[in-house]
Amino acid sequence: MASAVSPLAPTSLPQMPAIEGVRLATAAAGIRYAGHTDVMLALLEPGTTVAGVFTRSRCPSAPVEWCRDRIKAGRARALVVNSGNANAFTGKNGRVATRLTADLAAKAVHCKPGEVFLASTGVIGEPLDAGKFAGVMAGLAQTAQGEGWLDAARAMMTTDTFPKLASATARLGKTSVTINGIAKGAGMIAPDMATMLAFVFTDAPVAAPVLQALLKEGVVDTFNAVTVDGDTSTSDTLMVFASGAAARRGAPCIGRRSDPRLKGFRAAFVQVLANLAEQVARDGEGARKLVEVVVEGAVSKPSARRIALSIANSPLVKTAIAGEDANWGRVVMAVGKAGEPADRDRLSIWFGGIRVAHHGERDPAYDEAEVSAVMNRSRARARPRAHLRPHQGVCRHQRRLSILGSRMAFHWCRP
Amino acid sequence: MASAVSPLAPTSLPQMPAIEGVRLATAAAGIRYAGHTDVMLALLEPGTTVAGVFTRSRCPSAPVEWCRDRIKAGRARALVVNSGNANAFTGKNGRVATRLTADLAAKAVHCKPGEVFLASTGVIGEPLDAGKFAGVMAGLAQTAQGEGWLDAARAMMTTDTFPKLASATARLGKTSVTINGIAKGAGMIAPDMATMLAFVFTDAPVAAPVLQALLKEGVVDTFNAVTVDGDTSTSDTLMVFASGAAARRGAPCIGRRSDPRLKGFRAAFVQVLANLAEQVARDGEGARKLVEVVVEGAVSKPSARRIALSIANSPLVKTAIAGEDANWGRVVMAVGKAGEPADRDRLSIWFGGIRVAHHGERDPAYDEAEVSAVMNRSRARARPRAHLRPHQGVCRHQRRLSILGSRMAFHWCRP
């Protein structure tokens, strides 16, 4: 927590308006360090719906199992998040700790334990002393208020170097609704899922199954399209809570995912997810570069995505970029390694805006010095072809099928 | 080539006897550097059979495509290997270069171009000037002799810090036969295939389909069970050549893979493959540790192998071992990430001989200092449970099914 802020950190924090039906509070429970704010409570008004996606690890943390078992009911009244201890690989003790935490929160919030959702981040394998929450839970429930997003984001930081927040508004019918999100990342950030912890809140009245569908389609090109170290956490959790409070201001209640009134909300929701996911990548442990990989002309979008991931996760591609070495042969290697249909003799590769290979051979105009200059940038300014984000590595696989794109920001760490 | 010899290098070179029917020669063709020995010719007597396995890259090098197209005929008279240029991602020029090389060799050796096998290693994307072979090919064919294994192994080194050789003998019927192998590795060493270039020669009379079957089963726990950087080369090639000359000394000709007389030969063959594969791992670029991962009690051997690979290829596990940090939570992460059936609450983990986690929780007797002492070793002396090789990371997945083991040596690089 003492490390310098990532050079890729955003230069300013977003404005985070209050969201009706959502109140926040933080406290120092002494989970790992005394006097360090390490627990966050989100209080959700009755009727709040919830959806979530979780790590695909076969060794998930106890809180992940707790949430997964309860998310289908679709109702939430509270979220408790702690840092300092992941409550992962803690066996029976881990389950006892989640139960105790939920009981304490349910008592303070006056709801059922099954309406309490949990997340923990920090050390793996260390027993979590959930009894420590007893001393702070009532106070958290009493002091919770509509502001405090920054404090909430900070309470769940571990090796993060900056708090991650994003906000957007949308129209639902004729009513303005708000979407706020907070996240923490740092290590073990790999699809799928691709975050440690992220929570999104809205006042839009959206039924739980619709929320789940929006989330599932929303993560594909956001949280599941970033990678830092290629490893997958035991604790990855992304949940979205909809208080529905905007219904009191006339927002329509959305019960079908095909409802055309969702259009603006869906776009704003994905924007918040994309914003948070990129912040997670920007704060990868030791990250010094942010790279976007673009694969075009693959046989399908999933195929393009697998090729992009093969490039983004290749240790040799990462070390080449970290070393600012224009070794495009490693991109060829990574394309070949992906196992996807790839016509080598029609492959072209760009670094930044510079084409280094064309139709399966080194570009005749290849100039190593020119390419090296692009590699030196930590955030490339080159933005060819109207790509929205800075990128350094571009791989276009040109087969004359339809042009299917897959964008992927990735990071790497200098170990 | 100027880098210091790997600290994991074998302390002595093996004796390499001549193999009847196989003659070797090397030369400096000036492929990349003038005056550097960079080409090797193996001359094989008429009747030599051949088998091979190659990279699964979808962007293979031109020589890989050349060999793959001709290996099914099963006949070989010559092998030409060059270092300095991989002839990969060289488009049409690459195909022209392989054809020219084979024509030159066929002329010198008096055989058909289709009986010439080729391999190239070095830079990707640089056109290979195969015309340079014209000046040396006749001399190579004239000077080829039964000794010279060390020179042959050296001729194909790139960033290798030591030449890789292995030899074994076996009985075929009542006749002694010899198996010699040479290899080069260094980077992009990942299953499947798990080498850059390796060539095995024997005087045993074995039909090509039998040779292919032996090779396919032989690589599973040898070349396909080592990993250095997790990346896959465009050029991975492992070929085996059987001159059959031992038939003149009474060795039986083996035409069926189920022939019981193959037993000793099969064991010696796998021993040579395992020896070469481990040397490749020991010479991974920048390697400072050799680690063997043992997974027991998985639901099947392929499942155990996938779990072992997930651990071995995890960047976070690698950095923990490189940093000599007893962070066993990362092993839990890697087991979970593998996606294989893994009962978290029955998982136990050993580092060296020390159990760090038991039945899904930190071992009650866990002592970080004790485990750190094991992590400090570059070659662990701990050899519990009669494992044959030094190892530092041991993961036993204890489900009370049958005990199925998968051994895997892996390396990592400090970038």
Side-chain angles (χ1 to χ4, degrees):
Chain A
M1 273 157 288
S3 43
V5 172
S6 163
L8 303 164
T11 47
S12 64
L13 291 168
Q15 288 296 319
M16 301 290 286
I19 290 188
E20 211 183 336
V22 181
R23 289 181 294 145
L24 304 166
T26 60
I31 295 302
R32 193 166 186 206
Y33 306 104
H36 179 75
T37 300
D38 54 10
V39 56
M40 182 272 274
L41 172 73
L43 248 171
L44 307 158
E45 74 170 36
T48 296
T49 58
V50 61
V53 287
F54 302 93
T55 181
R56 292 191 189 164
S57 170
R58 301 296 290 250
C59 294
S61 70
V64 163
E65 291 193 326
W66 172 274
C67 292
R68 217 179 243 149
D69 288 348
R70 285 151 187 88
I71 201 98
K72 276 180 188 159
R75 294 276 157 193
R77 292 294 313 285
L79 166 70
V80 181
V81 184
N82 76 274
S83 58
N85 187 313
N87 194 13
F89 212 64
T90 42
K92 227 180 297 175
N93 292 330
R95 283 189 291 276
V96 172
T98 51
R99 181 81 221 183
L100 178 55
T101 311
D103 285 346
L104 288 167
K107 199 176 153 196
V109 173
H110 309 296
C111 69
K112 294 178 195 152
E115 293 169 323
V116 178
F117 289 82
L118 305 173
S120 297
T121 176
V123 189
I124 293 179
E126 190 87 31
L128 171 65
D129 180 4
K132 288 183 177 172
F133 296 130
V136 299
M137 203 62 85
L140 282 167
Q142 279 154 19
T143 58
Q145 41 133 339
E147 311 294 317
W149 294 93
L150 182 57
D151 288 342
R154 281 205 172 115
M156 58 184 190
M157 283 168 64
T158 53
T159 53
D160 300 66
T161 72
F162 61 86
K164 295 157 194 70
L165 304 110
S167 182
T169 55
R171 290 250 159 221
L172 199 60
K174 290 177 179 163
T175 307
S176 174
V177 296
T178 303
I179 304 168
N180 280 2
I182 56 176
K184 68 85 53 197
M188 296 189 190
I189 308 298
D192 312 304
M193 268 284 299
T195 185
M196 295 290 285
L197 304 180
F199 306 103
V200 178
F201 303 85
T202 179
D203 51 359
V206 182
V210 179
L211 214 51
Q212 186 67 39
L214 287 176
L215 187 58
K216 205 177 156 192
E217 67 187 45
V219 294
V220 175
D221 287 323
T222 61
F223 279 96
N224 285 351
V226 293
T227 176
V228 172
D229 48 37
D231 275 334
T232 304
S233 163
T234 55
S235 308
D236 292 337
T237 296
L238 165 55
M239 285 192 281
V240 50
F241 302 91
S243 73
R248 294 196 287 271
R249 291 185 284 110
C253 296
I254 306 295
R256 287 180 309 113
R257 63 187 290 189
S258 58
D259 193 317
R261 292 171 297 184
L262 266 180
K263 193 182 168 197
F265 180 82
R266 181 184 271 117
F269 180 61
V270 170
Q271 182 193 322
V272 168
L273 295 181
N275 188 327
L276 290 176
E278 184 172 317
Q279 289 189 58
V280 167
R282 286 177 177 273
D283 203 14
E285 282 175 0
R288 293 291 174 274
K289 305 264 186 188
L290 177 69
V291 177
E292 186 185 22
V293 179
V294 180
V295 177
E296 286 183 7
V299 295
S300 69
K301 197 162 175 175
S303 179
R305 195 173 287 121
R306 282 189 286 269
I307 292 170
L309 258 182
S310 178
I311 298 168
N313 277 330
S314 158
L316 292 177
V317 170
K318 288 180 185 181
T319 48
I321 295 172
E324 299 177 345
D325 173 18
N327 192 332
W328 58 269
R330 294 184 172 185
V331 176
V332 176
M333 176 281 299
V335 172
K337 176 191 171 189
E340 294 297 316
D343 185 343
R344 184 192 63 197
D345 295 341
R346 297 174 82 180
L347 187 65
S348 299
I349 297 172
W350 282 255
F351 277 12
I354 304 168
R355 194 175 69 189
V356 294
H358 188 51
H359 284 177
E361 297 184 59
R362 190 175 62 189
D363 194 287
Y366 179 73
D367 173 359
E368 189 167 335
E370 188 191 23
V371 183
S372 294
V374 171
M375 307 290 290
N376 289 339
R377 303 177 198 155
S378 71
R379 317 183 196 191
R381 273 156 300 172
R383 297 189 183 202
R385 285 160 239 277
H387 295 137
L388 298 174
R389 294 189 227 151
H391 63 289
Q392 296 200 325
V394 177
C395 169
R396 290 169 176 270
H397 178 215
Q398 296 191 314
R399 293 182 70 172
R400 305 283 170 200
L401 304 169
S402 59
I403 300 297
L404 294 160
S406 170
R407 294 209 174 76
M408 180 157 309
F410 73 93
H411 264 214
W412 61 94
C413 312
R414 299 195 203 243
Chain B
M1 274 156 290
S3 44
V5 173
S6 163
L8 302 164
T11 47
S12 63
L13 291 169
Q15 287 296 318
M16 301 291 286
I19 290 187
E20 212 183 335
V22 180
R23 289 181 293 145
L24 304 166
T26 59
I31 295 303
R32 192 164 188 208
Y33 305 104
H36 179 76
T37 300
D38 55 10
V39 56
M40 182 272 272
L41 172 73
L43 248 171
L44 307 158
E45 73 170 36
T48 296
T49 57
V50 61
V53 285
F54 302 93
T55 180
R56 292 192 188 161
S57 171
R58 302 296 291 249
C59 295
S61 69
V64 164
E65 291 193 326
W66 173 274
C67 292
R68 215 179 246 149
D69 288 349
R70 283 150 189 89
I71 202 96
K72 275 182 188 155
R75 294 277 157 191
R77 291 294 312 286
L79 166 70
V80 181
V81 184
N82 75 273
S83 57
N85 186 313
N87 194 13
F89 212 64
T90 43
K92 227 180 297 175
N93 291 330
R95 284 188 291 277
V96 171
T98 52
R99 181 79 221 184
L100 177 56
T101 310
D103 285 347
L104 289 167
K107 199 175 155 198
V109 173
H110 309 298
C111 69
K112 295 178 194 151
E115 294 169 323
V116 178
F117 288 81
L118 305 173
S120 298
T121 176
V123 188
I124 293 179
E126 190 87 30
L128 171 65
D129 180 4
K132 289 183 176 170
F133 296 130
V136 299
M137 203 61 85
L140 283 166
Q142 280 155 20
T143 58
Q145 42 133 340
E147 312 293 319
W149 293 94
L150 182 56
D151 288 343
R154 282 205 172 116
M156 59 185 190
M157 283 167 64
T158 54
T159 53
D160 300 66
T161 72
F162 61 87
K164 293 157 195 71
L165 305 109
S167 183
T169 55
R171 289 250 158 221
L172 199 60
K174 289 175 181 165
T175 308
S176 174
V177 297
T178 303
I179 303 168
N180 280 2
I182 55 176
K184 68 86 50 197
M188 295 188 190
I189 309 297
D192 306 309
M193 268 288 297
T195 185
M196 295 291 285
L197 304 179
F199 307 103
V200 177
F201 303 85
T202 179
D203 51 0
V206 182
V210 179
L211 215 51
Q212 185 68 39
L214 287 175
L215 187 59
K216 205 177 156 191
E217 68 188 42
V219 294
V220 175
D221 287 323
T222 61
F223 278 97
N224 284 352
V226 293
T227 176
V228 172
D229 48 37
D231 274 334
T232 304
S233 162
T234 55
S235 307
D236 292 337
T237 296
L238 166 55
M239 286 192 281
V240 50
F241 302 91
S243 73
R248 296 197 287 271
R249 292 184 285 111
C253 296
I254 307 295
R256 285 181 308 112
R257 62 187 290 191
S258 57
D259 193 319
R261 292 171 297 185
L262 265 181
K263 193 183 168 196
F265 181 82
R266 180 183 271 119
F269 180 62
V270 170
Q271 183 192 322
V272 168
L273 294 182
N275 188 326
L276 290 176
E278 184 172 317
Q279 289 189 57
V280 166
R282 286 177 178 274
D283 203 14
E285 282 175 0
R288 292 291 174 272
K289 304 264 187 188
L290 177 69
V291 177
E292 187 185 22
V293 179
V294 180
V295 177
E296 286 183 8
V299 295
S300 69
K301 198 162 174 174
S303 180
R305 196 173 286 119
R306 282 190 285 269
I307 292 170
L309 259 181
S310 178
I311 298 168
N313 277 329
S314 156
L316 292 177
V317 171
K318 289 179 185 181
T319 48
I321 295 172
E324 300 176 345
D325 173 18
N327 192 332
W328 57 269
R330 294 183 173 184
V331 176
V332 177
M333 176 281 300
V335 172
K337 176 190 171 190
E340 294 297 317
D343 185 344
R344 183 192 64 196
D345 294 341
R346 297 175 82 181
L347 187 66
S348 298
I349 298 171
W350 283 256
F351 278 12
I354 303 167
R355 193 175 69 188
V356 295
H358 188 52
H359 284 178
E361 296 184 58
R362 189 174 62 189
D363 195 286
Y366 178 75
D367 173 359
E368 187 166 336
E370 188 192 22
V371 184
S372 294
V374 172
M375 307 290 290
N376 288 339
R377 303 177 198 156
S378 70
R379 316 182 196 192
R381 273 156 299 173
R383 297 190 183 201
R385 285 159 238 276
H387 294 138
L388 298 174
R389 293 187 227 151
H391 63 288
Q392 296 201 324
V394 178
C395 170
R396 291 171 174 271
H397 178 213
Q398 297 191 313
R399 294 181 70 172
R400 305 283 170 200
L401 304 169
S402 58
I403 300 297
L404 293 159
S406 170
R407 294 209 173 76
M408 180 157 310
F410 72 93
H411 265 213
W412 60 95
C413 312
R414 298 196 205 242

